Amino acid sequence: MEVEKSAESNKKSKKNRDKKMTRKEILEKKKKVQEIIKAAVSQTDPFSSFPTFRHYKKKDLSVYLDSGCGDSLSSPVKQYIQNLLKVNMEASYGTEWPVEEKVKRREMVSSEARYIFVYEISNVDANITLKLSKKGRCNADGMDDKGHLVAFVHYRFTIEEEIPVLYVYELQLEHRVQGKGLGKFLMVLIELIAQKGKMSAVVLTVQKANMIAMNFYRNKLRYLISTMSPSQMGLQTNYELLCKSFDYEAKAGLQMKHLNGANNSPYYMVEVPLLQIFRAVKINDCKGDSESICEASYKVFAHVSLTTLKPVRRS
């Protein structure tokens, strides 16, 4: 009954928005959004735009990043994904895991699935790294020639509330590489990919029981609970939908309830030109290593004033 009421409320809200637009305008908007999604999906190698993010180094951790597609995964990579998901997620899902695991197995091999794979390199060989960088192919055919997989991101370009978004299906790291800044590095890359693809927001799902993940997204990366999340509709579920919006339309459609919330920061994401990010990285903060690039990018990318809609730096 509650679900039906929420669905009816959403329909009425949508109708009210649609009344302000002519049928032609609505169709043109839908066509434009579809074109944006199609263009984003066609870009199979995100590292062609962000080559700096191919590597991440921090003290005892040295990794190489590569891209992939769900319908081109090798058997060893599929098995790795399944195993890591079970290790990391089974406890959070509890009794729901057997059903959820089957869903995730179907999702991971979809042609719409896009991946960032993280390979640990014990002895970094410059020639091997250069060869891997030049491949730029949309698959992941084994681990022998790239090192050992230690993490991955599964994401898709899709539409939520008639808005183009990048949806993060999975961000999974092995326990031994956690706490080294790699997760934040990957999410900065994801947000850059979203902006490059003209997505209006990044959306993701977090299990309420996974307090470490909830703290990571909400407190460290400043993601907000979306208006699409069941909890915002008065429903009781085991998960929350979080989002970070890049423009006012996305804020209005995905997180408007949070704009005046007493417990939320006055700083939110709006559109910041990518060129500005890299200028800031090169000029102000970058020391040449991947960790400082991540930090510098995030400082410019994350803290923006809602009142001015201009980039600001937090003191």
Side-chain angles (χ1 to χ4, degrees):
M1 188 66 181
E2 290 180 347
V3 176
E4 292 177 357
K5 287 182 179 179
S6 298
E8 186 63 30
S9 177
N10 289 339
K11 286 181 181 180
K12 289 181 180 179
S13 177
K14 181 178 178 297
K15 285 181 179 179
N16 290 333
R17 292 199 304 268
D18 290 347
K19 285 179 181 178
K20 299 177 183 179
M21 302 174 65
T22 66
R23 178 175 174 78
K24 183 179 179 181
E25 289 172 334
I26 293 171
L27 293 175
E28 287 178 350
K29 181 182 177 181
K30 288 182 177 179
K31 182 180 179 181
K32 183 178 180 181
V33 170
Q34 291 288 352
E35 288 174 349
I36 289 173
I37 295 294
K38 184 177 180 180
V41 170
S42 69
Q43 300 299 314
T44 56
D45 181 22
F47 296 105
S48 61
S49 298
F50 309 109
T52 307
F53 282 79
R54 276 225 182 248
H55 302 90
Y56 179 79
K57 283 186 179 183
K58 184 177 180 180
K59 296 180 182 179
D60 59 338
L61 180 64
S62 177
V63 297
Y64 172 84
L65 280 65
D66 199 9
S67 57
C69 295
D71 57 357
S72 301
L73 302 179
S74 67
S75 294
V77 172
K78 289 178 186 177
Q79 191 61 52
Y80 175 84
I81 290 173
Q82 291 172 13
N83 292 342
L84 186 56
L85 281 171
K86 185 170 184 176
V87 169
N88 287 355
M89 303 304 296
E90 187 174 18
S92 296
Y93 278 96
T95 57
E96 296 178 359
W97 176 247
V99 174
E100 189 63 30
E101 185 178 27
K102 292 179 181 179
V103 173
K104 289 182 179 295
R105 286 187 179 186
R106 290 196 299 270
E107 291 175 342
M108 77 177 189
V109 295
S110 168
S111 60
E112 298 175 354
R114 294 291 179 270
Y115 285 92
I116 300 296
F117 292 109
V118 182
Y119 296 89
E120 186 175 29
I121 305 174
S122 300
N123 298 308
V124 181
D125 185 314
N127 293 326
I128 292 177
T129 301
L130 179 62
K131 182 177 72 173
L132 291 171
S133 300
K134 289 181 177 179
K135 287 183 179 180
R137 60 184 184 274
C138 188
N139 60 26
D141 34 52
M143 294 175 273
D144 294 340
D145 64 340
K146 299 180 182 181
H148 297 284
L149 267 170
V150 293
F152 72 91
V153 185
H154 168 192
Y155 66 97
R156 302 189 190 190
F157 299 105
T158 186
I159 300 172
E160 297 286 347
E161 298 293 306
E162 301 179 0
I163 298 169
V165 305
L166 186 155
Y167 204 118
V168 179
Y169 274 57
E170 304 289 348
L171 170 61
Q172 301 293 342
L173 285 69
E174 289 187 16
H175 181 74
R176 64 189 180 86
V177 299
Q178 295 176 15
K180 300 176 184 291
L182 179 58
K184 185 175 181 180
F185 181 81
L186 290 169
M187 285 305 297
V188 170
L189 173 58
I190 284 295
E191 290 171 11
L192 290 171
I193 291 171
Q195 284 262 294
K196 179 67 176 179
K198 298 182 179 180
M199 300 296 108
S200 294
V202 172
V203 179
L204 50 90
T205 304
V206 179
Q207 291 295 113
K208 291 179 180 179
N210 193 344
M211 297 306 298
I212 294 176
M214 193 68 76
N215 177 65
F216 172 69
Y217 289 114
R218 297 213 62 194
N219 297 330
K220 292 186 178 181
L221 300 186
R222 300 190 181 280
Y223 276 69
L224 302 176
I225 296 177
S226 172
T227 53
M228 300 185 300
S229 192
S231 67
Q232 301 302 293
M233 301 178 186
L235 305 177
Q236 296 297 320
T237 61
N238 296 327
Y239 65 90
E240 294 280 13
L241 291 180
L242 306 184
C243 70
K244 180 179 284 188
S245 301
F246 305 146
D247 56 50
Y248 192 80
E249 182 182 9
K251 284 184 173 66
L254 300 177
Q255 67 180 56
M256 184 60 83
K257 288 183 181 180
H258 298 279
L259 297 188
N260 298 316
N263 295 324
N264 291 294
S265 165
Y267 290 85
Y268 297 88
M269 189 68 111
V270 298
E271 187 173 0
V272 179
L274 291 173
L275 180 59
Q276 182 178 349
I277 293 172
F278 286 107
R279 280 176 180 166
V281 170
K282 291 179 181 179
I283 295 173
N284 297 331
D285 300 293
C286 183
K287 300 174 184 176
D289 60 76
S290 51
E291 184 180 3
S292 66
I293 290 171
C294 173
E295 291 294 332
S297 297
Y298 200 76
K299 285 178 183 177
V300 178
F301 199 69
H303 303 308
V304 183
S305 169
L306 268 181
T307 55
T308 62
L309 296 185
K310 293 180 180 178
V312 296
R313 300 297 292 270
R314 175 171 292 184
S315 57

